[in-house]
Amino acid sequence: MKERAWIVDLPGRVGQEVVLLGWVRHCRTAGSRLCFLEVRDGSGDVQVVVREGEVPAAEFEAAARVPLESSVRVAGTVVAAPRQAGGVELKARAVAVVAATKGDYPLGKKDHGVGYLMDQRHLWLRSTRPRAVLKVRAEVIRAAREHLDGLGYTCVDAPILTPAAAEGTATLFPVEYFGQTVYLSQTGQLHMEAAAQALGRVYCFGPTFRAEKSKTRRHLTEFWMLEPEAAFADLDEMMDLMEGLISTVVARVLERCRAELDALGRDVGRLQTCRPPFPRVSYDEALARLAGTPAEIPWGEDFGAPQEDQLSLAYDRPVLVHRFPTRIKAFYMRPDPERPEVVLGCDLIAPEGYGEIIGGGERSSDLAHLEAQLDLHQLPRAAYEWYLDLRRYGAAPSAGFGMGLERVVAWICGLDHVREAAPFARTMYKYWLDNELFGK
Ligand code: 4AD
Ligand code: MG
Protein backbone atom coordinates (compact mmCIF):
# COMPACT_ATOMS: atom_id res chain seq x y z
CA MET A 1 0.00 0.00 0.00
CA LYS A 2 2.85 2.43 0.71
CA GLU A 3 3.62 3.13 -2.93
CA ARG A 4 3.46 6.74 -4.04
CA ALA A 5 1.14 7.25 -6.99
CA TRP A 6 0.76 10.20 -9.37
CA ILE A 7 -2.73 11.55 -9.88
CA VAL A 8 -2.44 11.29 -13.65
CA ASP A 9 -2.10 7.49 -13.31
CA LEU A 10 -5.08 6.93 -11.00
CA PRO A 11 -7.63 6.05 -13.72
CA GLY A 12 -5.60 2.88 -14.38
CA ARG A 13 -5.40 1.95 -10.69
CA VAL A 14 -9.04 1.57 -9.61
CA GLY A 15 -9.27 -0.71 -6.57
CA GLN A 16 -5.65 -0.20 -5.54
CA GLU A 17 -4.31 1.28 -2.33
CA VAL A 18 -2.06 4.28 -3.04
CA VAL A 19 -0.32 7.20 -1.36
CA LEU A 20 -0.63 10.71 -2.83
CA LEU A 21 1.61 13.65 -2.02
CA GLY A 22 0.26 17.05 -3.01
CA TRP A 23 -1.43 20.31 -2.11
CA VAL A 24 -5.01 21.06 -1.08
CA ARG A 25 -6.62 23.34 -3.65
CA HIS A 26 -10.01 23.29 -2.04
CA CYS A 27 -11.69 21.84 1.02
CA ARG A 28 -15.41 21.39 1.44
CA THR A 29 -17.30 19.78 4.29
CA ALA A 30 -20.66 18.09 3.82
CA GLY A 31 -22.31 17.86 7.21
CA SER A 32 -20.14 17.01 10.19
CA ARG A 33 -18.96 13.60 9.08
CA LEU A 34 -17.73 14.06 5.55
CA CYS A 35 -15.24 16.31 3.81
CA PHE A 36 -13.90 16.59 0.27
CA LEU A 37 -10.36 17.68 -0.45
CA GLU A 38 -9.36 18.66 -3.92
CA VAL A 39 -5.70 17.69 -4.18
CA ARG A 40 -3.20 18.47 -6.93
CA ASP A 41 0.26 16.98 -7.30
CA GLY A 42 1.51 18.62 -10.48
CA SER A 43 0.45 15.68 -12.64
CA GLY A 44 -3.28 16.28 -12.12
CA ASP A 45 -6.09 17.02 -9.69
CA VAL A 46 -8.27 14.55 -7.82
CA GLN A 47 -11.05 14.63 -5.25
CA VAL A 48 -10.24 12.92 -1.95
CA VAL A 49 -13.23 11.78 0.09
CA VAL A 50 -12.55 11.81 3.85
CA ARG A 51 -15.25 10.18 5.98
CA GLU A 52 -15.36 10.24 9.74
CA GLY A 53 -14.72 6.73 11.04
CA GLU A 54 -12.73 5.71 7.95
CA VAL A 55 -9.69 7.71 9.06
CA PRO A 56 -8.36 8.21 12.60
CA ALA A 57 -10.50 10.81 14.44
CA ALA A 58 -7.70 13.39 14.84
CA GLU A 59 -6.88 13.12 11.15
CA PHE A 60 -10.51 13.70 10.20
CA GLU A 61 -10.60 16.84 12.38
CA ALA A 62 -7.39 18.13 10.80
CA ALA A 63 -8.56 17.35 7.26
CA ALA A 64 -11.88 19.11 7.74
CA ARG A 65 -10.07 22.28 8.80
CA VAL A 66 -7.03 22.09 6.53
CA PRO A 67 -6.21 25.56 5.16
CA LEU A 68 -6.02 26.13 1.42
CA GLU A 69 -2.69 25.22 -0.23
CA SER A 70 -1.38 23.18 2.71
CA SER A 71 0.68 20.24 1.55
CA VAL A 72 -0.62 16.79 2.49
CA ARG A 73 0.07 13.08 2.34
CA VAL A 74 -3.03 11.02 1.71
CA ALA A 75 -3.35 7.23 1.72
CA GLY A 76 -6.45 5.55 0.38
CA THR A 77 -8.22 3.45 -2.22
CA VAL A 78 -8.78 4.55 -5.81
CA VAL A 79 -12.49 4.20 -6.61
CA ALA A 80 -14.44 4.79 -9.80
CA ALA A 81 -16.38 8.08 -9.80
CA PRO A 82 -17.88 8.66 -13.22
CA ARG A 83 -18.88 12.26 -12.41
CA GLN A 84 -15.31 13.28 -11.53
CA ALA A 85 -12.73 14.44 -14.07
CA GLY A 86 -10.65 11.38 -14.90
CA GLY A 87 -13.48 9.16 -13.67
CA VAL A 88 -11.90 8.41 -10.27
CA GLU A 89 -11.61 9.71 -6.73
CA LEU A 90 -9.66 8.62 -3.67
CA LYS A 91 -11.35 7.16 -0.59
CA ALA A 92 -9.05 8.23 2.25
CA ARG A 93 -7.75 5.93 4.97
CA ALA A 94 -5.17 8.33 6.36
CA VAL A 95 -4.56 12.06 5.90
CA ALA A 96 -1.43 13.75 7.22
CA VAL A 97 -0.79 17.48 6.88
CA VAL A 98 2.86 17.88 5.82
CA ALA A 99 2.95 21.69 6.08
CA ALA A 100 -0.11 23.76 6.95
CA THR A 101 -0.70 27.18 5.38
CA LYS A 102 -0.36 29.89 8.03
CA GLY A 103 -2.83 32.75 7.88
CA ASP A 104 -5.02 33.58 4.89
CA TYR A 105 -3.82 32.41 1.50
CA PRO A 106 -3.43 35.60 -0.57
CA LEU A 107 -5.15 34.08 -3.60
CA GLY A 108 -8.52 33.07 -2.28
CA LYS A 109 -11.62 32.59 -4.32
CA LYS A 110 -12.02 36.25 -5.30
CA ASP A 111 -11.50 37.39 -8.85
CA HIS A 112 -8.12 39.10 -8.77
CA GLY A 113 -6.84 41.37 -11.54
CA VAL A 114 -3.78 40.28 -13.53
CA GLY A 115 -1.70 43.08 -11.93
CA TYR A 116 -2.32 41.68 -8.45
CA LEU A 117 -1.79 38.13 -9.67
CA MET A 118 1.54 39.05 -11.29
CA ASP A 119 2.67 40.54 -7.97
CA GLN A 120 1.79 37.19 -6.41
CA ARG A 121 3.38 35.22 -9.24
CA HIS A 122 5.24 32.92 -6.84
CA LEU A 123 1.86 31.73 -5.54
CA TRP A 124 -0.22 32.30 -8.67
CA LEU A 125 1.90 29.67 -10.43
CA ARG A 126 -0.07 27.07 -8.48
CA SER A 127 -3.37 27.99 -10.14
CA THR A 128 -4.87 26.10 -13.04
CA ARG A 129 -4.16 28.70 -15.71
CA PRO A 130 -0.44 29.32 -15.09
CA ARG A 131 0.11 25.60 -14.66
CA ALA A 132 -1.51 24.93 -18.03
CA VAL A 133 0.65 27.62 -19.68
CA LEU A 134 3.84 26.19 -18.16
CA LYS A 135 2.93 22.72 -19.42
CA VAL A 136 2.36 24.06 -22.93
CA ARG A 137 5.61 26.03 -22.75
CA ALA A 138 7.50 22.87 -21.79
CA GLU A 139 5.89 21.02 -24.68
CA VAL A 140 6.77 23.77 -27.17
CA ILE A 141 10.40 23.50 -26.04
CA ARG A 142 10.39 19.72 -26.23
CA ALA A 143 8.71 19.59 -29.66
CA ALA A 144 10.99 22.27 -31.13
CA ARG A 145 14.14 20.55 -29.90
CA GLU A 146 12.90 17.15 -31.08
CA HIS A 147 12.18 18.61 -34.49
CA LEU A 148 15.63 20.15 -34.94
CA ASP A 149 17.46 17.20 -33.36
CA GLY A 150 15.55 14.89 -35.71
CA LEU A 151 16.69 16.89 -38.72
CA GLY A 152 20.34 16.55 -37.66
CA TYR A 153 20.90 19.94 -36.02
CA THR A 154 23.36 20.01 -33.11
CA CYS A 155 22.50 22.02 -30.01
CA VAL A 156 25.31 24.50 -29.24
CA ASP A 157 24.93 26.91 -26.33
CA ALA A 158 25.62 30.58 -27.00
CA PRO A 159 27.22 32.84 -24.37
CA ILE A 160 25.13 35.35 -22.44
CA LEU A 161 27.82 37.96 -21.80
CA THR A 162 28.88 39.47 -25.11
CA PRO A 163 31.09 42.39 -26.10
CA ALA A 164 28.88 43.76 -28.87
CA ALA A 165 25.42 44.38 -30.28
CA ALA A 166 23.82 42.26 -32.97
CA GLU A 167 20.32 43.71 -33.02
CA GLY A 168 20.91 47.43 -32.57
CA THR A 169 22.67 49.40 -29.87
CA ALA A 170 19.47 50.94 -28.50
CA THR A 171 18.40 47.82 -26.63
CA LEU A 172 21.62 46.73 -24.92
CA PHE A 173 21.83 45.99 -21.21
CA PRO A 174 25.34 46.92 -20.04
CA VAL A 175 27.09 44.82 -17.42
CA GLU A 176 30.19 45.90 -15.54
CA TYR A 177 32.84 43.26 -16.22
CA PHE A 178 36.10 43.68 -14.31
CA GLY A 179 36.28 47.37 -15.08
CA GLN A 180 34.97 47.04 -18.63
CA THR A 181 31.50 47.13 -20.12
CA VAL A 182 30.00 44.07 -21.75
CA TYR A 183 26.36 43.37 -22.57
CA LEU A 184 23.69 40.78 -22.00
CA SER A 185 23.21 38.92 -25.26
CA GLN A 186 20.43 40.09 -27.60
CA THR A 187 20.78 36.97 -29.74
CA GLY A 188 22.99 33.91 -30.06
CA GLN A 189 23.10 34.28 -33.83
CA LEU A 190 26.63 35.55 -34.39
CA HIS A 191 28.05 32.73 -32.31
CA MET A 192 25.83 30.22 -34.11
CA GLU A 193 27.29 31.45 -37.39
CA ALA A 194 30.71 30.42 -36.08
CA ALA A 195 29.35 27.07 -34.86
CA ALA A 196 27.59 26.40 -38.19
CA GLN A 197 30.96 26.57 -39.93
CA ALA A 198 32.13 23.84 -37.55
CA LEU A 199 29.08 21.56 -37.40
CA GLY A 200 27.02 22.44 -40.47
CA ARG A 201 23.62 22.75 -38.81
CA VAL A 202 23.30 24.01 -35.26
CA TYR A 203 20.89 25.73 -32.94
CA CYS A 204 21.01 27.48 -29.62
CA PHE A 205 18.18 27.89 -27.20
CA GLY A 206 18.58 30.22 -24.28
CA PRO A 207 17.74 33.51 -22.63
CA THR A 208 18.22 36.74 -24.57
CA PHE A 209 17.89 40.31 -23.37
CA ARG A 210 16.62 43.55 -24.86
CA ALA A 211 16.32 46.85 -23.08
CA GLU A 212 13.18 47.48 -25.15
CA LYS A 213 11.44 50.64 -24.12
CA SER A 214 8.21 49.09 -25.31
CA LYS A 215 5.28 48.70 -22.97
CA THR A 216 3.42 46.44 -25.37
CA ARG A 217 1.87 43.07 -24.77
CA ARG A 218 4.55 41.53 -27.01
CA HIS A 219 7.73 42.79 -25.38
CA LEU A 220 9.76 41.35 -22.56
CA THR A 221 13.22 42.49 -21.53
CA GLU A 222 14.28 38.88 -20.95
CA PHE A 223 12.96 36.18 -23.27
CA TRP A 224 14.02 32.81 -24.64
CA MET A 225 14.93 32.32 -28.24
CA LEU A 226 15.48 29.20 -30.34
CA GLU A 227 17.99 29.97 -33.08
CA PRO A 228 18.85 27.47 -35.82
CA GLU A 229 21.69 28.29 -38.22
CA ALA A 230 22.61 26.24 -41.29
CA ALA A 231 25.67 26.54 -43.51
CA PHE A 232 25.00 26.46 -47.27
CA ALA A 233 21.29 27.17 -46.66
CA ASP A 234 19.34 29.91 -48.44
CA LEU A 235 16.21 31.92 -47.67
CA ASP A 236 13.82 29.41 -49.22
CA GLU A 237 15.24 26.58 -47.14
CA MET A 238 14.89 28.71 -44.01
CA MET A 239 11.27 29.50 -44.83
CA ASP A 240 10.67 25.76 -45.21
CA LEU A 241 12.32 25.19 -41.83
CA MET A 242 10.22 27.90 -40.14
CA GLU A 243 7.06 26.41 -41.59
CA GLY A 244 8.02 22.85 -40.61
CA LEU A 245 9.05 23.88 -37.11
CA ILE A 246 5.95 25.92 -36.30
CA SER A 247 3.46 23.45 -37.78
CA THR A 248 5.14 20.56 -35.95
CA VAL A 249 5.19 22.41 -32.64
CA VAL A 250 1.50 23.26 -32.94
CA ALA A 251 0.63 19.67 -33.90
CA ARG A 252 2.54 18.30 -30.89
CA VAL A 253 0.85 20.69 -28.47
CA LEU A 254 -2.56 19.75 -29.88
CA GLU A 255 -1.67 16.09 -29.45
CA ARG A 256 -0.04 16.21 -26.03
CA CYS A 257 -1.59 19.21 -24.27
CA ARG A 258 -5.27 19.07 -25.15
CA ALA A 259 -6.37 19.18 -21.51
CA GLU A 260 -4.25 22.29 -20.91
CA LEU A 261 -5.61 24.05 -24.01
CA ASP A 262 -9.14 23.21 -22.84
CA ALA A 263 -8.37 24.55 -19.35
CA LEU A 264 -7.21 27.78 -20.99
CA GLY A 265 -10.41 28.01 -23.03
CA ARG A 266 -8.38 28.01 -26.26
CA ASP A 267 -10.32 27.64 -29.49
CA VAL A 268 -8.29 24.72 -30.87
CA GLY A 269 -10.02 25.06 -34.24
CA ARG A 270 -7.85 28.14 -34.79
CA LEU A 271 -4.72 26.04 -34.24
CA GLN A 272 -5.79 23.03 -36.29
CA THR A 273 -5.54 25.06 -39.49
CA CYS A 274 -1.87 25.76 -38.83
CA ARG A 275 -0.60 23.37 -41.51
CA PRO A 276 1.81 23.82 -44.39
CA PRO A 277 1.95 25.44 -46.80
CA PHE A 278 2.04 28.85 -45.12
CA PRO A 279 1.42 31.78 -47.45
CA ARG A 280 4.62 33.59 -48.50
CA VAL A 281 4.40 37.23 -49.48
CA SER A 282 7.09 39.78 -50.19
CA TYR A 283 7.23 43.05 -48.27
CA ASP A 284 6.08 44.77 -51.48
CA GLU A 285 3.07 42.45 -51.82
CA ALA A 286 2.25 42.93 -48.14
CA LEU A 287 2.29 46.71 -48.61
CA ALA A 288 -0.10 46.36 -51.52
CA ARG A 289 -2.46 44.41 -49.29
CA LEU A 290 -2.24 47.05 -46.59
CA ALA A 291 -3.00 49.87 -49.03
CA GLY A 292 -6.37 51.43 -48.26
CA THR A 293 -6.52 49.96 -44.74
CA PRO A 294 -5.76 51.93 -41.55
CA ALA A 295 -2.40 50.12 -41.47
CA GLU A 296 -1.19 51.49 -44.83
CA ILE A 297 2.48 52.59 -44.75
CA PRO A 298 4.88 54.06 -47.33
CA TRP A 299 7.59 51.84 -48.85
CA GLY A 300 10.64 51.69 -46.60
CA GLU A 301 8.90 51.82 -43.25
CA ASP A 302 9.10 48.88 -40.87
CA PHE A 303 6.08 46.89 -39.78
CA GLY A 304 4.63 47.57 -36.37
CA ALA A 305 1.79 45.82 -34.59
CA PRO A 306 -0.92 47.48 -36.78
CA GLN A 307 0.66 46.18 -40.01
CA GLU A 308 1.25 42.68 -38.62
CA ASP A 309 -2.27 42.46 -37.23
CA GLN A 310 -3.94 43.74 -40.39
CA LEU A 311 -1.97 41.30 -42.53
CA SER A 312 -2.63 38.31 -40.29
CA LEU A 313 -6.39 38.89 -40.50
CA ALA A 314 -6.37 37.66 -44.10
CA TYR A 315 -5.06 34.21 -43.21
CA ASP A 316 -6.05 31.24 -41.06
CA ARG A 317 -2.40 30.25 -40.53
CA PRO A 318 0.94 31.99 -40.07
CA VAL A 319 2.19 34.10 -42.95
CA LEU A 320 5.82 34.50 -44.08
CA VAL A 321 6.85 38.01 -45.16
CA HIS A 322 10.18 38.19 -46.99
CA ARG A 323 12.47 40.80 -48.56
CA PHE A 324 12.14 43.73 -46.19
CA PRO A 325 13.89 47.02 -47.04
CA THR A 326 17.62 46.79 -46.34
CA ARG A 327 17.83 50.01 -44.36
CA ILE A 328 15.39 48.90 -41.64
CA LYS A 329 17.09 45.57 -41.01
CA ALA A 330 20.12 44.43 -39.00
CA PHE A 331 23.68 44.93 -40.30
CA TYR A 332 24.33 41.25 -41.03
CA MET A 333 21.45 40.65 -43.46
CA ARG A 334 22.32 39.73 -47.03
CA PRO A 335 20.96 42.09 -49.67
CA ASP A 336 19.10 40.46 -52.55
CA PRO A 337 21.69 40.42 -55.37
CA GLU A 338 18.91 41.21 -57.84
CA ARG A 339 17.57 44.09 -55.76
CA PRO A 340 20.01 45.33 -53.10
CA GLU A 341 17.43 47.68 -51.58
CA VAL A 342 15.80 44.61 -49.99
CA VAL A 343 17.36 41.83 -47.92
CA LEU A 344 16.95 38.06 -48.14
CA GLY A 345 15.29 38.00 -44.76
CA CYS A 346 11.92 36.82 -43.55
CA ASP A 347 9.54 37.31 -40.62
CA LEU A 348 6.90 34.78 -39.67
CA ILE A 349 3.74 36.44 -38.44
CA ALA A 350 1.34 34.48 -36.27
CA PRO A 351 -2.41 34.51 -36.86
CA GLU A 352 -5.01 36.20 -34.66
CA GLY A 353 -2.96 39.35 -34.10
CA TYR A 354 -0.06 37.74 -32.21
CA GLY A 355 2.52 39.43 -34.43
CA GLU A 356 6.03 38.43 -35.42
CA ILE A 357 7.11 35.18 -33.77
CA ILE A 358 10.16 34.45 -35.95
CA GLY A 359 12.75 36.64 -37.69
CA GLY A 360 15.73 35.56 -39.78
CA GLY A 361 17.22 35.01 -43.23
CA GLU A 362 20.48 34.79 -45.15
CA ARG A 363 23.64 36.30 -43.69
CA SER A 364 25.96 38.48 -45.69
CA SER A 365 29.08 36.49 -46.50
CA ASP A 366 30.85 39.36 -48.27
CA LEU A 367 33.65 40.75 -46.10
CA ALA A 368 33.70 44.20 -47.74
CA HIS A 369 29.92 44.52 -47.44
CA LEU A 370 30.00 43.60 -43.76
CA GLU A 371 32.78 46.08 -43.05
CA ALA A 372 30.76 48.81 -44.73
CA GLN A 373 27.65 47.78 -42.79
CA LEU A 374 29.49 47.98 -39.46
CA ASP A 375 30.52 51.53 -40.32
CA LEU A 376 27.02 52.44 -41.50
CA HIS A 377 25.49 51.12 -38.26
CA GLN A 378 28.28 52.78 -36.25
CA LEU A 379 29.33 49.50 -34.65
CA PRO A 380 32.85 49.22 -33.18
CA ARG A 381 34.91 47.19 -35.62
CA ALA A 382 37.20 45.68 -33.00
CA ALA A 383 34.36 43.83 -31.28
CA TYR A 384 33.41 42.17 -34.58
CA GLU A 385 36.86 41.12 -35.77
CA TRP A 386 36.18 37.51 -34.84
CA TYR A 387 32.89 37.66 -36.77
CA LEU A 388 34.69 39.04 -39.83
CA ASP A 389 37.24 36.25 -39.44
CA LEU A 390 34.51 33.78 -40.34
CA ARG A 391 34.33 35.44 -43.76
CA ARG A 392 38.11 35.54 -44.05
CA TYR A 393 38.53 31.84 -43.40
CA GLY A 394 36.42 29.94 -45.84
CA ALA A 395 32.97 30.64 -44.48
CA ALA A 396 30.20 29.11 -46.51
CA PRO A 397 27.06 31.26 -46.80
CA SER A 398 24.67 30.53 -43.97
CA ALA A 399 21.11 31.32 -43.00
CA GLY A 400 19.08 30.99 -39.84
CA PHE A 401 16.41 32.52 -37.69
CA GLY A 402 15.23 33.17 -34.16
CA MET A 403 11.91 31.95 -32.74
CA GLY A 404 10.69 33.91 -29.71
CA LEU A 405 9.45 31.31 -27.23
CA GLU A 406 7.13 33.51 -25.19
CA ARG A 407 5.41 34.89 -28.27
CA VAL A 408 4.82 31.38 -29.62
CA VAL A 409 3.45 30.23 -26.26
CA ALA A 410 1.23 33.33 -25.94
CA TRP A 411 -0.24 32.63 -29.37
CA ILE A 412 -0.74 28.89 -28.87
CA CYS A 413 -2.32 29.45 -25.44
CA GLY A 414 -4.36 32.46 -26.59
CA LEU A 415 -2.91 34.76 -23.88
CA ASP A 416 -3.46 38.50 -23.80
CA HIS A 417 0.15 39.32 -22.91
CA VAL A 418 3.54 37.60 -23.26
CA ARG A 419 4.20 38.15 -19.55
CA GLU A 420 1.94 35.19 -18.80
CA ALA A 421 4.00 32.98 -21.13
CA ALA A 422 7.14 33.30 -18.98
CA PRO A 423 7.34 31.66 -15.56
CA PHE A 424 8.71 34.89 -14.04
CA ALA A 425 8.43 37.68 -16.60
CA ARG A 426 10.67 40.71 -16.78
CA THR A 427 9.31 43.76 -18.55
CA MET A 428 10.39 47.36 -18.85
CA TYR A 429 7.81 48.77 -16.48
CA LYS A 430 7.90 46.08 -13.85
CA TYR A 431 10.47 43.70 -12.55
CA TRP A 432 7.91 41.29 -11.23
CA LEU A 433 8.30 40.03 -7.67
CA ASP A 434 11.18 42.40 -6.91
CA ASN A 435 9.22 45.62 -7.05
CA GLU A 436 10.95 47.07 -4.04
CA LEU A 437 14.00 47.50 -6.25
CA PHE A 438 12.08 49.96 -8.35
CA GLY A 439 9.90 51.49 -5.64
CA LYS A 440 6.40 50.33 -6.55
O1 4AD B 1 13.65 39.44 -35.05
P1 4AD B 1 14.69 39.29 -33.98
O2 4AD B 1 15.21 40.51 -33.35
O3 4AD B 1 15.84 38.43 -34.64
C1 4AD B 1 17.04 38.13 -34.09
O4 4AD B 1 17.38 38.38 -32.95
C2 4AD B 1 17.92 37.31 -34.97
N1 4AD B 1 19.31 37.53 -34.59
C3 4AD B 1 17.53 35.86 -34.86
C4 4AD B 1 18.34 34.98 -35.75
O5 4AD B 1 18.30 35.13 -36.96
N2 4AD B 1 19.06 34.02 -35.19
O6 4AD B 1 14.11 38.35 -32.82
C5 4AD B 1 13.66 37.06 -33.14
C6 4AD B 1 12.37 36.77 -32.40
C7 4AD B 1 11.21 37.69 -32.78
O7 4AD B 1 10.57 37.25 -33.95
C8 4AD B 1 10.32 37.56 -31.56
O8 4AD B 1 9.56 36.38 -31.62
C9 4AD B 1 11.32 37.42 -30.44
O9 4AD B 1 12.53 36.97 -30.99
N3 4AD B 1 11.53 38.70 -29.75
C10 4AD B 1 10.97 39.04 -28.56
N4 4AD B 1 10.13 38.38 -27.76
C11 4AD B 1 9.74 38.99 -26.61
N5 4AD B 1 10.16 40.21 -26.24
C12 4AD B 1 11.00 40.92 -27.02
N6 4AD B 1 11.43 42.13 -26.62
C13 4AD B 1 11.45 40.33 -28.25
N7 4AD B 1 12.28 40.73 -29.24
C14 4AD B 1 12.32 39.72 -30.14
MG1 MG C 1 12.48 40.84 -35.94
Side-chain angles (χ1 to χ4, degrees), residues 378-400:
Q378 295 178 313
L379 296 168
R381 179 79 65 90
Y384 298 85
E385 277 305 322
W386 71 267
Y387 184 68
L388 299 175
D389 260 359
L390 303 179
R391 275 69 184 174
R392 293 187 185 110
Y393 301 117
S398 77

Side-chain angles (χ1 to χ4, degrees), residues 280-339:
R280 298 179 185 193
V281 300
S282 68
Y283 171 86
D284 290 15
E285 287 162 342
L287 245 52
R289 282 168 193 266
L290 295 174
T293 74
E296 177 170 353
I297 47 168
W299 198 95
E301 257 181 43
D302 203 358
F303 280 15
Q307 287 68 40
E308 291 173 356
D309 295 355
Q310 180 71 36
L311 196 64
S312 76
L313 286 180
Y315 306 101
D316 65 352
R317 63 197 73 195
V319 51
L320 293 151
V321 184
H322 54 83
R323 292 178 171 78
F324 280 86
T326 306
R327 68 178 173 80
I328 57 172
K329 285 294 182 185
F331 79 93
Y332 52 73
M333 294 234 182
R334 180 177 176 222
D336 187 341
E338 286 165 25
R339 246 187 105 197

Side-chain angles (χ1 to χ4, degrees), residues 7-64:
I7 291 171
V8 68
D9 299 325
L10 296 186
R13 305 191 60 169
V14 173
Q16 295 180 19
E17 300 275 302
V18 298
V19 171
L20 295 184
L21 299 173
W23 297 262
V24 177
R25 299 186 60 201
H26 188 58
C27 174
R28 175 167 66 89
T29 50
S32 58
R33 309 196 52 207
L34 184 61
C35 86
F36 300 97
L37 305 179
E38 213 180 295
V39 172
R40 69 156 205 283
D41 71 353
S43 79
D45 298 358
V46 73
Q47 172 165 280
V48 176
V49 183
V50 192
R51 217 178 278 276
E52 194 178 10
E54 292 180 0
V55 298
E59 290 183 19
F60 180 82
E61 288 304 313

Side-chain angles (χ1 to χ4, degrees), residues 329 347 356 359:
K329 285 294 182 185
D347 282 359
E356 178 202 329

